[in-house]
C-alpha cells in the first residue's frame, strides 16, 4: 500500500515536471524536535529527545504561485533517552533523507502554501543501550523507512529571485523502523525558514 502511494505521487510529480514553467533551488534551515515512540512486548517506553538541526537542500519545479514540487536531500539525527528507577535506555539514529513535497500556493493569504509528500529515510547509523550495555544493532533495523510530510508555510519576504517563508512541518513515519517485530517510530516536528531561489 505504501509503495503504491509513493508510485502514484511519483507519477504526479512527473506530470508536473512535464508542464513545469520554472526551475529553482530550495533551502531549508530550522530546528527539529524528534518524537521517538517505542513499544516491545506490550510495554511502551517514553523517550525524551533534544532539538536537532533541520537542514535540507534541493530543487523546486513548477509554478511557485500555484502548483509545484521539490526534491530535497537532508540528514536526520535522533538522540533520545528513557529513564526510570530500574533502567536508563539511550537511543541514537542517523539517516539520509530524500523528501518530495508537492506544494500548493495561496495568493494574498497569511498562509502562503501547504505541502504534502513522501519521504525516504536511508539508515546510516543506529544504536541503543540499556544501563550502558548495547542491546540493539543496525542489523535488526530497517535500512529504508517511509514517512509522510505535511508542511504549512506562512507569508514572508518575496521578490523576483528570492522568496523566504517561515514554515512548520510534521514528519510521520509510516512503517516501523524495527525489523524484529518491535514497534519503533521516529516522527518529528520542525520549523524554521524556507528559501526559494529562482533562476
Amino acid at each position: 500500500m505504501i509503495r503504491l502511494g509513493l508510485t502514484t505521487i511519483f507519477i504526479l510529480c512527473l506530470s508536473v515536471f512535464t508542464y513545469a514553467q520554472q526551475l529553482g533551488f530550495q533551502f531549508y534551515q530550522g530546528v527539529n524536535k524528534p518524537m521517538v515512540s517505542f513499544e516491545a512486548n506490550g510495554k511502551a517506553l517514553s523517550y525524551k529527545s533534544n532539538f536537532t538541526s533541520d537542514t535540507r537542500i534541493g530543487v523546486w519545479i513548477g509554478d511557485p504561485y500555484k502548483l509545484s514540487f521539490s526534491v530535497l536531500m537532508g540528514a536526520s539525527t535522533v538522540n533520545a533517552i528513557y529513564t526510570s528507577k530500574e533502567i536508563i535506555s539511550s537511543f541514537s539514529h542517523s539517516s539520509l533523507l530524500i523528501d518530495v513535497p508537492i506544494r500548493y500556493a495561496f495568493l494574498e493569504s497569511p498562509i502562503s502554501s501547504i505541502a504534502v509528500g513522501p519521504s525516504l529515510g536511508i539508515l546510516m547509523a543506529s544504536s541503543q543501550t540499556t544501563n550502558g550495555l548495547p542491546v540493539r544493532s543496525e542489523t535488526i533495523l530497517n535500512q529504508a523507512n517511509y514517512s509522510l510530510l505535511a508542511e504549512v508555510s506562512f507569508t514572508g519576504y518575496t521578490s523576483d529571485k528570492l522568496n523566504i517563508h517561515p514554515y512548520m512541518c510534521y514528519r510521520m513515519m509510516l512503517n516501523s523502523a524495527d525489523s524484529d517485530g518491535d514497534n519503533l517510530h521516529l516522527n518529528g516536528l520542525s520549523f524554521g525558514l524556507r528559501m526559494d531561489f529562482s533562476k
Side-chain angles (χ1 to χ4, degrees):
M1 184 66 181
I2 295 176
R3 292 183 179 180
L4 177 61
L6 292 174
T7 302
T8 302
I9 292 174
F10 179 72
I11 293 174
L12 290 175
C13 289
L14 287 180
S15 300
V16 174
F17 176 77
T18 302
Y19 298 99
Q21 299 178 7
Q22 296 186 43
L23 170 68
F25 296 98
Q26 197 166 69
F27 179 71
Y28 282 74
Q29 183 59 64
V31 294
N32 176 60
K33 176 62 174 178
M35 303 175 185
V36 180
S37 172
F38 179 73
E39 183 177 355
N41 301 320
K43 183 179 180 180
L45 300 183
S46 179
Y47 280 85
K48 295 181 180 180
S49 60
N50 296 323
F51 283 92
T52 61
S53 174
D54 178 29
T55 303
R56 288 170 284 164
I57 189 170
V59 297
W60 62 264
I61 303 169
D63 185 348
Y65 301 104
K66 190 174 182 181
L67 183 65
S68 63
F69 79 97
S70 305
V71 179
L72 303 163
M73 294 188 67
S76 170
T77 301
V78 178
N79 293 300
I81 188 170
Y82 167 82
T83 59
S84 68
K85 294 181 179 180
E86 294 82 15
I87 64 172
I88 298 177
S89 176
S90 62
F91 175 83
S92 65
H93 187 281
S94 299
S95 59
L96 173 69
L97 298 178
I98 302 175
D99 299 341
V100 188
I102 300 175
R103 183 177 310 281
Y104 184 81
F106 300 97
L107 298 178
E108 300 180 358
S109 171
I111 297 178
S112 61
S113 67
I114 58 174
V116 178
S119 174
L120 172 65
I122 302 174
L123 178 66
M124 304 300 291
S126 184
S127 65
Q128 184 178 5
T129 63
T130 298
N131 295 332
L133 300 176
V135 294
R136 305 173 70 82
S137 65
E138 297 177 10
T139 58
I140 61 174
L141 296 173
N142 289 323
Q143 298 300 305
N145 297 294
Y146 300 97
S147 299
L148 180 66
L149 297 175
E151 178 190 315
V152 178
S153 295
F154 304 93
T155 301
Y157 172 80
T158 301
S159 67
D160 292 338
K161 297 295 183 181
L162 173 63
N163 296 327
I164 302 177
H165 297 281
Y167 74 90
M168 181 176 294
C169 178
Y170 182 72
R171 184 185 303 269
M172 180 179 67
M173 185 173 284
L174 300 178
N175 63 287
S176 175
D178 197 302
S179 61
D180 68 350
D182 294 334
N183 192 6
L184 175 62
H185 286 83
L186 308 176
N187 304 320
L189 178 66
S190 60
F191 53 90
L193 292 177
R194 189 191 86 239
M195 288 163 272
D196 300 334
F197 300 89
S198 302
K199 296 184 64 176

